[in-house]
Amino acid sequence: MKLIFLGAPGAGKSTQAEKVSERLSIPAISTGSILRDAIRNGTEAGMAAKQYVMEGDLVPDQLVIQMLRDRIALPDCKNGFILDGFPRTLAQAQALDRLGVIIDTVIDIEVPDEVIFKRLTGRRLCRQCGDSYHITDKPSAKGDKCELCGGALTTREDDDPQVIGNRLKIYHQQIESLKDYYHAAGKLAVVAGDGEIDQITTMVMAIIEA
């Protein structure tokens, strides 16, 4: 089973990808995490991508595809995988096809922009262990400290309101052609993502198992 989760930044696609990953026993591959790890580790591709990420711009397709190709070649992907955050452009979708990757289902999780802003500006991340929180939806019992390791909680640099606005603008410019591409292939399903997490998971699994 090879799946794609589409959705704006903060739409909840990573949360749903993780839940479906557990149920199907296939890895959820977040290109955002791949990029952040590469930047943190100071790799050549990471340094090339850093400026784009910090400004909320799309990382060039060549860089993203290079990192993704290496990831899906690993043994844990032999029975399938979930792509979270890729493709983001029509060119990336076409590149995925050229790699010979046959996608079974594409799930688009749609959430209003005003909900996205609330979600992203409230996110907090532990500097030490990477555990995530939200000031209203998932506050830490230790205030501004991580519950797991006691590290300081911080706002991700790409969750700055101005950067969020830019990310959403770019997303909306790119997504329609991508949705049309997968709709034409008979693989696109749309799910409302502004409800309860478990309800959304139930809808997503119903689509996958149909």
Side-chain angles (χ1 to χ4, degrees), residues 96-182:
L96 193 62
D97 290 342
R98 288 194 294 272
L99 289 177
V101 178
I102 299 176
I103 298 298
D104 296 291
T105 304
V106 179
I107 298 175
D108 176 33
I109 301 177
E110 296 197 345
V111 178
D113 283 359
E114 58 269 24
V115 176
I116 295 291
F117 265 93
K118 179 182 177 182
R119 288 181 179 179
L120 295 186
T121 55
R123 290 198 301 193
R124 297 294 182 268
L125 193 69
C126 176
R127 291 180 178 177
Q128 293 188 33
C129 72
D131 199 27
S132 60
Y133 300 88
H134 193 280
I135 58 175
T136 58
D137 298 339
K138 186 188 173 184
S140 170
K142 295 183 178 180
D144 59 356
K145 302 293 183 182
C146 175
E147 293 180 3
L148 297 181
C149 71
L153 300 183
T154 185
T155 302
R156 276 174 35 180
E157 293 183 12
D158 55 351
D159 281 347
D160 175 83
Q162 184 173 350
V163 174
I164 293 171
N166 193 34
R167 293 169 72 194
L168 287 174
K169 178 181 178 181
I170 293 173
Y171 173 77
H172 289 305
Q173 289 173 344
Q174 300 284 355
I175 192 60
E176 292 307 320
S177 61
L178 196 56
K179 288 167 61 177
D180 289 345
Y181 185 74
Y182 285 119

Side-chain angles (χ1 to χ4, degrees), residues 5-129:
F5 281 72
L6 300 179
K13 57 185 180 295
S14 295
T15 298
Q16 294 303 322
E18 290 173 2
K19 287 182 170 293
V20 174
S21 170
E22 293 176 0
R23 297 195 183 195
L24 300 182
S25 297
I26 56 177
I29 301 172
S30 165
T31 51
S33 295
I34 292 174
L35 287 169
R36 285 190 292 273
D37 287 345
I39 292 170
R40 183 168 55 250
N41 294 330
T43 67
E44 181 178 352
M47 291 300 96
K50 183 176 181 178
Q51 189 62 36
Y52 296 96
V53 173
M54 292 303 98
E55 294 179 0
D57 292 329
L58 288 177
V59 176
D61 290 347
Q62 184 177 357
L63 282 174
V64 178
I65 293 166
Q66 175 186 340
M67 287 184 275
L68 181 67
R69 182 177 62 241
D70 293 341
R71 177 64 185 88
I72 64 177
L74 296 179
D76 64 336
C77 292
K78 66 178 181 179
N79 293 323
F81 49 80
I82 302 166
L83 296 182
D84 164 17
F86 185 95
R88 292 188 179 183
T89 67
L90 179 57
Q92 288 180 354
Q94 293 168 336
L96 193 62
D97 290 342
R98 288 194 294 272
L99 289 177
V101 178
I102 299 176
I103 298 298
D104 296 291
T105 304
V106 179
I107 298 175
D108 176 33
I109 301 177
E110 296 197 345
V111 178
D113 283 359
E114 58 269 24
V115 176
I116 295 291
F117 265 93
K118 179 182 177 182
R119 288 181 179 179
L120 295 186
T121 55
R123 290 198 301 193
R124 297 294 182 268
L125 193 69
C126 176
R127 291 180 178 177
Q128 293 188 33
C129 72

